[in-house]
Structure formats: structure tokens, C-alpha cells
Amino acid sequence: MDSAKIEYADQFVHQLIAEAERCRASDVHFQPREDGVEIKWRIDGVLLRVGLFARGEQSNAVTKLKVLAGLLTYRNDIPQEGRIRDFSTTEMRLATYPTVFGERAVVRLFAAPGNLKHLSDLGLPKEVSESIATDLAATSGAVVICGPAGSGKTTTAYACLRALGERAVMTIEDPVESLVDGAVQSQTDIKSGFDLASGIRAMMRQDPEVILVGEVRDPETAAGAFSAALTGHLMLTTIHAGAAAEAAFRLIDMGVESHTLRATLLGVVGQRLV
């Protein structure tokens, strides 16, 4: 590829993403440097360096990604996030971040359609899968999925949604990472003031049976999510924690009362990639 040509960015992005899919990478990092763009990707949880590449004289790979994700190409001074659609059969999410050498970007690649869709596909121990299935049969309470970044928490959460059958399911996510048939999915919009906490409050007026909160990351979201679990809804969520026991302590640190956890918590799934 000739970095002086205008089609350079388009060719670069297509070939890089295709190779990332072939290698089963979960994340591709575009790190701007003074002398080019350094590419790294994460495979099985390990971040590996791919190489240093030319920026492109007439076109920019990160700008191409922003176009694919429907982000504001003229704003390179603020972080942005969005889903990449109609580019590949793989679901992808883009997150950008301003740096002194230009915009940094990370593309998250999710499992290809047909893969890792159901609990039986995840390779969980039999007793864990059976325990989750029992929890999902409940009409109220909370199921929390925890683990380090990139350990597949969202994949497990979506597999849980697909196991719920014909129940009324609503989600609030930041952002929506994959589409689930039968679920009513929404994503936050900070510009309009629609965040996770306000989304939970609005969902309660839509008469759902099951709600998914993409991630509990602050006291207001935690309070709203566990209030929903107390009031006759099955609530699923994810949280960053190293182990199942740590998830309970993190929730308490966020202000969730211990008696609320005792009344609502059906199970905590702590997972890591093997």
C-alpha cells in the first residue's frame, strides 16, 4: 500500500481488521506516535505489538474508522464511542481518545454471528451453567457478571438474555455492543442527558420483566439497578472486579446496602479467559 495515495486509509483499515478477525483478536489499538501509527492487538487477553505503520499523507485510518462508526470526524479534541456497522459480519465498537500526537483509537471485536451466542457455547463448567440457568428462571433479583477488562462479561450477559425465552427484556448500555433478538436495547447519550441511571428509571415505566444494565460503574447506577431488582424485576449487569467475592465489596463501596444485596443477589459469576 502506498501511504501517499488517498485510498491508503481505506485499504489499511480493511486489511488490518480482516487479519485481526483471522487471528481472533478481541481488540485492535491504533496508537499515534510522532513517526507513525503503532498497531497492537489483544489475543486471548495478551496485548501483542503488530508494528509501526505510516500515517497516510492524504487519508487517516482513525478518520476512516470514525466514518464507519458514524462519529464526528471534525471533532478530534474529545473522546467518542460508537458501533461500526455494515463493515463486516463481526460486531465492532470504536472508542477514540485525543492525545498529543493525534487521536488514539481502539476497535473492540465481538464474537462472529453464530458463535458464543448461548450459555452452552461459552465453555463454562457444567455446574456454573446450571446455576446460571436456575438464577435466570427467577422473576426478581440480581445476577452480576464480573471479571477483568476483556474477559467476556458482555458476551456472557448477552448469552443470558438469549436464554430468557419470551419474557419482556429491556437493556440500557454504553454502548450497545451486539443485537439480541427479542430484546429492546437502548444506549446512553451523554449529550442529551440520557445516562445509565436515567435509563433505568425510564425503563421501569415500560413494564419490563428483565432488565440488563450494561455496567455498574457509579453509585447512582448501582442504586437504580438494585432498586429494580428489589421491585419484581430480574436484573443482569456487569462490573469490573477480579473475583466474585470482590464484586460484592465493590457494590457496597458504591453505596448498595448490605441488606439490599442479601435480598436481591441471586448469583455472581466471576470469569477470566483461559
Side-chain angles (χ1 to χ4, degrees), residues 61-73 83-84 94:
V62 174
T63 301
K64 172 64 178 178
L65 290 168
K66 291 170 71 175
V67 170
L68 292 171
L71 302 183
L72 302 175
T73 56
R83 287 177 59 223
I84 296 178
L94 172 68

Side-chain angles (χ1 to χ4, degrees), residues 132-180:
I132 294 174
T134 299
D135 293 340
L136 295 178
T139 56
S140 64
V143 176
V144 177
I145 303 163
C146 75
S151 59
K153 298 185 293 297
T154 303
T155 298
T156 300
Y158 284 151
C160 289
L161 293 187
R162 295 186 181 98
L164 292 170
E166 297 301 315
R167 296 162 77 177
V169 178
M170 297 188 71
T171 79
I172 178 68
E173 305 171 60
D174 182 22
V176 171
E177 298 180 355
S178 183
L179 300 178
V180 178

Side-chain angles (χ1 to χ4, degrees), residues 12-259:
F12 182 77
V13 167
H14 275 82
Q15 291 194 32
L16 181 63
I17 296 301
E19 188 66 12
E21 291 175 315
R22 190 187 70 80
C23 294
R24 300 179 63 192
S26 61
D27 301 87
V28 181
H29 293 213
F30 293 74
Q31 175 65 52
R33 290 177 41 170
E34 192 172 13
D35 51 349
V37 179
E38 186 174 32
I39 302 297
K40 297 180 180 180
W41 56 33
R42 190 178 301 277
I43 298 176
D44 295 335
V46 180
L47 191 62
L48 306 170
R49 185 178 188 273
V50 178
L52 183 66
F53 299 87
R55 288 179 182 271
E57 296 176 20
Q58 298 188 66
S59 57
N60 182 284
V62 174
T63 301
K64 172 64 178 178
L65 290 168
K66 291 170 71 175
V67 170
L68 292 171
L71 302 183
L72 302 175
T73 56
Y74 61 87
R75 293 300 302 270
N76 53 18
D77 56 337
I78 58 172
Q80 297 187 65
E81 287 189 31
R83 287 177 59 223
I84 296 178
R85 299 179 174 88
D86 304 324
F87 178 75
S88 166
T89 56
T90 301
E91 290 275 351
M92 289 182 282
R93 184 184 73 195
L94 172 68
T96 66
Y97 188 83
T99 76
V100 293
F101 293 123
E103 284 185 287
R104 186 182 195 275
V106 175
V107 177
R108 167 66 59 89
L109 293 85
F110 299 98
N115 295 333
L116 305 180
K117 291 185 68 173
H118 305 287
L119 288 171
S120 58
D121 299 329
L122 302 183
L124 299 173
K126 181 181 178 181
E127 62 272 19
V128 174
S129 292
E130 291 175 349
S131 179
I132 294 174
T134 299
D135 293 340
L136 295 178
T139 56
S140 64
V143 176
V144 177
I145 303 163
C146 75
S151 59
K153 298 185 293 297
T154 303
T155 298
T156 300
Y158 284 151
C160 289
L161 293 187
R162 295 186 181 98
L164 292 170
E166 297 301 315
R167 296 162 77 177
V169 178
M170 297 188 71
T171 79
I172 178 68
E173 305 171 60
D174 182 22
V176 171
E177 298 180 355
S178 183
L179 300 178
V180 178
D181 288 341
V184 178
Q185 294 175 263
S186 301
Q187 67 182 27
T188 59
D189 185 350
I190 302 302
K191 295 189 292 295
S192 64
F194 185 58
D195 57 13
L196 290 171
S198 61
I200 295 169
R201 291 193 295 270
M203 279 197 297
M204 293 303 96
R205 296 189 285 272
Q206 295 293 315
D207 191 31
E209 294 175 291
V210 182
I211 68 170
L212 168 69
V213 180
E215 182 184 350
V216 170
R217 59 177 68 141
D218 58 68
E220 191 178 8
T221 303
F226 281 84
S227 292
L230 273 173
T231 54
H233 303 87
L234 179 63
M235 189 275 295
L236 286 75
T237 191
T238 71
I239 189 170
H240 284 277
E246 290 180 25
F249 290 116
R250 282 215 62 201
L251 290 167
I252 291 171
D253 287 342
M254 289 184 190
V256 180
E257 299 287 349
S258 56
H259 63 81

